Amino acid sequence: MDFYGFIEAVGIAIDFVGVAVIVIGAIIATVIALRTLLRREGAVYLPFRRSLGRSILLGLELLVAADIIKTVALTPTLESVAVLGGIVLIRTFLSFSLELEVSGRWPWQSKAADAETPGLTPPPASPPASPPRAASAD
């Protein structure tokens, strides 16, 4: 196997792993959501969306990596690099959108910025219950 054959095989393998991550993540998220729904253990929709979004996000990252490897190493023509740029741009937009959906903040925002961003701040937790007072021994 020559260099180009090896790089092509690596790119295909990473493509396969990216698709597998999305499919397996979707299956796992669905099974967990169905189990939660059938047991009536709590919220289903938001945890399902978050789990599904995380698997799609990871799969997209792997697919972008595979495209970069195959394009840069195998066919570094101006046309192929322009197509790669478009693909990366679209997938990056999708990744940012999914990150916002999953975490409720943009990827460049720290968790501390959540408190400063209106609309994304979770409701305040109820204050802890004060401990019971001990009866005084008079």
Side-chain angles (χ1 to χ4, degrees):
M1 178 182 284
D2 64 337
F3 175 74
Y4 293 106
F6 176 74
I7 295 299
E8 180 71 23
V10 167
I12 290 171
I14 295 174
D15 270 337
F16 177 78
V17 171
V19 170
V21 163
I22 293 172
V23 170
I24 292 169
I27 291 170
I28 291 171
T30 303
V31 167
I32 291 171
L34 287 174
R35 185 184 309 162
T36 303
L37 186 65
L38 292 174
R39 292 181 182 174
R40 298 176 190 195
E41 293 177 342
V44 176
Y45 180 70
L46 287 178
F48 175 70
R49 274 186 63 184
R50 287 190 178 122
S51 296
L52 186 60
R54 285 184 186 116
S55 64
I56 292 171
L57 201 57
L58 182 58
L60 279 175
E61 296 294 331
L62 289 166
L63 291 170
V64 167
D67 285 342
I68 291 171
I69 288 171
K70 289 189 293 186
T71 300
V72 172
L74 296 179
T75 55
T77 65
L78 189 57
E79 182 181 345
S80 65
V81 170
V83 169
L84 173 67
I87 291 170
V88 169
L89 188 66
I90 291 168
R91 288 187 178 165
T92 301
F93 173 75
L94 288 173
S95 294
F96 281 167
S97 299
L98 284 169
E99 180 68 29
L100 181 62
E101 288 289 324
V102 168
S103 68
R105 63 185 181 333
W106 292 106
W108 54 83
Q109 286 180 317
S110 65
K111 288 186 180 185
D114 285 350
E116 301 167 8
T117 307
L120 294 179
T121 307
S126 58
S130 56
R133 294 183 189 170
S136 59
D138 290 330

